[in-house]
Amino acid sequence: MKWYREPVADGNCVLAPGRVNLIGEHIDYHGLAVLPMALRRGVRAVFRRRADRRIRAVSPGYGTRDFEWTADLAPVAAGDWENYLRAAALVARKFRGNPVGINVEILSDLPAAAGLASSSALLVAVTLGLLRANGYNPRFEELMEVLPDGEQFVGTRGGGMDHAASLASRAGCASLVSFEPLAVRHIAIPEDWAFLVADSGVRAEKSGAAREDYNARRRGGVRALERLGLPSYREAKPEDAARLEVPEERDAFLHTATEAARVQAAVEAMEARDLAAFGELLVESHASLRDRLRVSCAALDALVERALAAGAAGARLTGAGFGGSVVICCERARMGAIRRALPEAIEAEPGPGALEGAF
Ligand code: GLA
């Protein structure tokens, strides 16, 4: 979309990109490393300081929201986008005690509920807008301590992958995000590789029905760890699954332990420019998400099959699942053929994060 690179004549602007996760799904909330990249699509917030303490936000198609920025903001009705504005306000307040409000215009070229982290991009954009309007430029580490909690205000107990990718990605690279301790390693994507994203059209609203499904997967993985008496998934080995009796817990454990190993193998494959190996890992990840964690659906499985039949090296669901999108990797030379077979696919170009100076 055009507006993304347009200079803004008036007002201050923050751009927070969405992300596509290449591999490492449903493991960030267990503290395990993941490999997303930022998209050249995202949420733009153009803001102006106000003299009072109100936050007034306008977004085409979503209407206007206007509220007083107090210290004890409570959620409004579930599913209302004002909750993301309120979450950003709560997050920003941790850095600035006595802030002024903003007028903010919000535009997005990210499809919502498509597995591309549009809600995290909104949270990041508004949080940075509020803080910059109050003269504060937070560091990545500071933001990562509070943004995932902000998301929980909206109801999903997610991990930090989406915020890390939106803030700290680098153009042309994937981001290996580790959480304990927090670190981002930029891995250059070989120029002759291409990534595509295809939206299944099945909507998975984070604040809606998908929320409970998502939280249940997380609980299953945590219970498995507790039963095994392990302090964290870093000590987990796939063989330990044999000691688990509850099928959901065993499957969640097996997914998590094997997916963590696939992330490391995928980084090695990318650094070795071995597209076949990288693609195979994506296919294995999808199978694990489909059969063990059961977060796929028929439309996502069909997209993966069609991409592979059209010559992709690999494909898998990306994001939380239950709908949303698939990510496809292929030789750049094959991209045209794959797009002909999947007209809904768009190229996913690795862009910079909101803190990486692009905006
Ligand atoms: C959502 C969450 C992320 C992550 C993915 C699944 O996108 O926001 O933190 O858990 O699901 O990998």
Side-chain angles (χ1 to χ4, degrees):
M1 278 221 185
K2 235 172 137 211
W3 62 260
Y4 200 81
R5 289 183 198 128
E6 272 171 16
V8 177
D10 190 16
N12 294 301
C13 180
V14 181
L15 269 162
R19 60 99 188 97
V20 57
N21 187 19
L22 304 184
I23 195 160
E25 215 66 86
H26 281 269
I27 63 171
D28 63 341
Y29 47 70
H30 293 308
L32 295 168
V34 292
L35 190 69
M37 70 184 202
L39 298 168
R40 288 191 184 272
R41 284 175 175 250
V43 174
R44 180 177 76 165
V46 182
F47 61 92
R48 275 182 207 87
R49 271 171 76 91
R50 292 174 63 115
D52 61 14
R53 212 171 272 210
R54 293 197 79 77
I55 295 174
R56 184 182 160 82
V58 185
S59 187
Y62 291 89
T64 302
R65 297 291 183 277
D66 192 330
F67 59 93
E68 185 80 10
W69 188 1
T70 57
D72 55 352
L73 286 172
V76 293
D80 191 318
W81 71 286
E82 183 169 333
N83 282 322
Y84 287 95
L85 305 171
R86 288 176 170 244
L90 280 182
V91 166
R93 213 166 163 117
K94 304 212 166 129
F95 300 100
R96 277 293 186 258
N98 195 18
V100 295
I102 58 172
N103 288 336
V104 58
E105 188 195 6
I106 294 166
L107 289 167
S108 169
D109 62 357
L110 271 176
L116 304 177
S118 60
S119 54
S120 300
L122 174 59
L123 180 63
V124 167
V126 178
T127 301
L128 286 177
L130 288 167
L131 286 171
R132 287 179 183 167
N134 282 280
Y136 192 64
N137 266 314
R139 286 178 302 112
F140 173 63
E141 292 77 10
E142 290 178 299
L143 287 165
M144 286 300 293
E145 272 184 26
V146 287
L147 282 168
D149 285 347
E151 203 88 34
Q152 289 176 26
F153 178 81
V154 191
T156 313
R157 292 189 52 81
M161 165 169 70
D162 304 348
H163 318 96
S166 186
L167 289 165
S169 289
R170 185 172 293 168
C173 295
S175 297
L176 177 65
V177 184
S178 313
F179 296 99
E180 292 164 6
L182 178 69
V184 177
R185 183 150 81 82
H186 297 114
I187 319 276
I189 298 174
E191 319 71 59
D192 54 341
W193 295 20
F195 288 97
L196 297 160
V197 171
D199 187 349
S200 69
V202 178
R203 288 285 158 263
E205 300 283 352
K206 237 186 192 178
S207 52
R211 180 166 110 187
E212 189 35 43
D213 286 330
Y214 179 94
N215 292 343
R217 301 309 186 278
R218 180 178 179 138
R219 270 198 311 274
V222 170
R223 289 217 179 110
L225 209 56
E226 284 165 1
R227 271 192 222 279
L228 292 168
L230 294 172
S232 83
Y233 268 99
R234 279 186 296 180
E235 285 76 27
K237 294 183 197 61
E239 312 80 271
D240 297 331
R243 293 195 280 130
L244 289 164
E245 276 158 22
V246 180
E248 290 76 31
E249 294 175 11
R250 186 172 56 230
D251 287 346
F253 179 87
L254 259 181
H255 168 74
T256 308
T258 59
E259 185 78 353
R262 282 189 288 273
V263 171
Q264 301 308 322
V267 169
E268 284 168 27
M270 191 175 267
E271 287 178 329
R273 300 172 161 265
D274 186 343
L275 180 61
F278 188 87
E280 190 53 41
L281 290 159
L282 263 57
V283 172
E284 285 170 20
S285 169
H286 184 77
S288 183
L289 289 159
R290 181 191 61 210
D291 303 336
R292 292 180 180 136
L293 216 55
R294 288 184 293 278
V295 297
S296 189
C297 65
L300 289 170
D301 295 344
L303 279 175
V304 167
E305 292 308 319
R306 279 166 59 207
L308 295 176
R316 53 181 287 281
L317 74 84
T318 186
F322 314 107
S325 301
V326 300
V327 59
I328 300 162
C329 73
C330 65
E331 270 171 46
R332 182 159 287 285
R334 289 202 187 187
M335 194 163 69
I338 294 172
R339 289 190 71 172
R340 277 191 293 283
L342 279 87
E344 61 271 65
I346 52 169
E347 184 176 0
E349 291 176 70
L355 297 180
E356 286 288 300
F359 313 124

